[in-house]
Amino acid sequence: MNAIEVRDLHFSIGDKKILNGITIDISQGMVTGILGPNGAGKTTLLRHLSGYWQPEKDTVHIFGVDILRLKPRDKAKIIGLVPQDGVNSAGFSVFEMVMMGRSPYLNFFGNEKADDRKIVDDCLKTCGVYDIKDRKMYEISGGEAQRVLIARALAQQPEILLLDEPVSHLDIKYQLEIMSLLKDLSRKGMTVVSIIHDLNIALNFCDNVILLNYGRVIAEGDADSVINEENIYRTYGVRAMVEKGTYSVVIPALKAI
Amino acid sequence: MGKKFYVLLIYSIIFLVLSVIAGLIIGSSSITPLEATEILISRIFSVPIDVPASHETIIMNLRLPRTILALIVGAGLSSVGLTYQSIFKNPLADPYIIGVSSGAAFGASVAIALNITGGLWGMGVVNLFAFMGSLLVSFIALIISRVNGRIPPTTLLLSGVALGNLLTAGMSLIMFLDNEDMEQIIYWTMGSFVSASWDKVAFSLAFVAIGILLLMFHTWELNLMLLGDESASSLGVDVEKVKIRLVIISSLVTAACVSVSGIIGFVGLVIPHILRMISGPDNRRLFFLSIIVGAGFMCITDTLARYILRPVEIPVGIITALMGGPFFIYLLKKNKGMN
């Protein structure tokens, strides 16, 4: 079954066309990577999937329902988001930050119950940040902060997890840890959609990838078949070698740009 | 909520009560604090006492409405300041950030320069023009900053700054062309409770009380909005709707405050900020603390304004601004918490 279906999605800012007729299906319980050069429209696409930007009627469907028909709080119970600018922490503690993920279930004053605290603790443990839950967000490292934001999204108990470049600024160890975490989550049924810059990460952790450029889908399908030398050249204008194996690697030919 | 919060709450309430007592018993007239206390007690418990009727009038018709007006304005400005700091994600935001004060000043100067007489609900024309002026600026700022159906905080802020400058220029032009009224206009822009009356109490209380009540229901959403619009939206906040609603409520509250007191700076900026440093970023706690401390602070500064150079009054805006400068520098040096 498809968790997300996008049909002929267009979006412009002023005269500039950002998305130019995107049609994609994102399958449930898979890790789907969104790839493409800077300015290809990846973040814009993700913002339509999260409902932050409202698409036209009948262009984005979440489990068969038009996203426009979902109320903000109901949508937050289905879709969790780890945004790129999400590290604005305002001085909240790690625990408070993750508790905010419970918002769609709390009343207007954000009163939490024992249940909510238990769910938050579980999410903190899943993401390996339980031990630092009383620290302030500004006291922890970038890698830890990223995992806290994932924990916050998990506290929403969503069925779909959207992430905007979750590993771009992290060192290689954190990159692998976070991608493994996402993979584990998807094996438990979560639909994971993530913008990824690193082709090697995409190749090794994504089930499916969507390759974007100029607001159009250049290629989509399983990671192994989409990330090939021809598609890399067509999208990025870079010659590269792709070697498949237990660990697949993309090696750019540095002089052949 | 933690124990620390309740301790802070109790301190705030004590501060408020002491400020109110100070505001009522201290003043420039020849009434001694003891006499003032007697008058208040006699009124509360309806015991007849032997004081001159004029003294009783001063307390009941001047100091009491004035103190209450200061409380209302202090509470209104602090709660709006807190709201704006969260919406704009900017610790330096205050109730006037979208040009409201310039709108009010422009409205007031038009009324003063044209010598319009009359009034409504016991409010003078100057007050009503200031009210309309500040509301108009808020709504124009909201309208021009709308891009693609949403209102980016930075655009709203900059529209406000631009409009503010425009109207300040307008006010300067009026003062330039109409030298006679210059003093009165300048005095108005410095803020004062000297013209307090029961009518003004009623007018401002209507807006501020309802406004505060409505803002209170959004304190948790304000926490989420601090994280950024995209995060707030993903956590179930209807960001654009809430933002517009909060700006409209805040504008009404600010306009009501400015129209009865002139432009009093610093309160809406710094009270929420000091409290944030002490109690942390949670708007649910900050909201109540800001209202209580803001009201008390306004009351105490007004008492100082009346007392320091008695019998001459210093505009209270000068006192708050004098405290604002040094605090701003301190903030710049120690600006960590929000970033």
Side-chain angles (χ1 to χ4, degrees), chain B residues 6-7 14 42 47 62 86 95 102 113 128 140 145 150-151 159 187 205 207 217 264-265 276 289-290 294 324:
Chain B
Y6 290 106
V7 174
I14 294 172
S42 80
V47 219
L62 295 177
S86 302
S102 310
L128 292 171
I140 295 174
S145 55
R150 54 186 55 240
I151 295 175
S159 332
Y187 188 82
L205 183 64
F207 288 96
F217 283 95
I264 300 172
R276 186 176 292 112
L289 295 174
S290 294

Side-chain angles (χ1 to χ4, degrees), chain A residues 11-13 47 51-53 72-73 76 79 81 83 85-86 88-92 97 99-101 103-104 106-111 138 152 156, chain B residues 1 89 148 150 216-221 223-224 226-231 233-238 240 281-285 288 336-339:
Chain A
F11 182 74
S12 315
I13 295 178
R47 284 180 171 166
Y52 178 56
W53 283 350
R73 281 167 72 93
I79 306 170
L81 172 73
D85 68 351
N88 184 355
S89 66
F92 289 106
M97 194 66 156
M99 183 55 81
M100 292 190 190
S103 293
L106 303 177
N107 67 6
F108 72 93
F109 207 61
N111 287 331
Y138 57 73
R152 184 182 82 192
Q156 292 172 248
Chain B
M1 291 195 202
K89 295 164 260 304
N148 276 351
R150 54 186 55 240
M216 193 183 76
F217 283 95
H218 292 283
T219 46
W220 173 250
E221 285 174 321
N223 279 356
L224 303 177
L226 268 177
L227 309 177
D229 286 0
E230 197 175 358
S231 286
S233 160
S234 77
L235 295 169
V237 180
D238 201 339
E240 293 307 315
D282 193 335
N283 281 296
R284 292 171 296 177
R285 298 169 196 182
F288 296 106
K336 297 190 274 193
M338 289 275 284
N339 298 326

Side-chain angles (χ1 to χ4, degrees), chain B residues 126-171:
Chain B
V126 176
N127 307 108
L128 292 171
F129 268 54
F131 184 71
M132 298 309 291
S134 58
L135 275 190
L136 212 63
V137 170
S138 315
F139 292 125
I140 295 174
L142 268 180
I143 291 164
I144 56 180
S145 55
R146 234 175 121 93
V147 187
N148 276 351
R150 54 186 55 240
I151 295 175
T154 322
T155 319
L156 179 56
L157 220 137
L158 290 175
S159 332
V161 170
L163 279 171
N165 279 320
L166 191 69
L167 288 168
T168 305
M171 184 183 76

Side-chain angles (χ1 to χ4, degrees), chain A residues 121-133:
Chain A
D121 281 348
D122 289 346
C123 295
L124 286 164
K125 283 172 192 159
T126 306
C127 298
V129 285
Y130 184 77
D131 292 338
I132 55 167
K133 72 188 173 105

Side-chain angles (χ1 to χ4, degrees), chain B residues 24 37 44 61 105 134 157 162 176 179 183 191 204 227 229 261-262 279:
Chain B
L24 289 173
T37 314
I44 295 168
N61 289 344
S134 58
L157 220 137
F176 176 73
N179 283 321
E183 199 180 331
S204 56
L227 309 177
D229 286 0
S261 68
S279 93

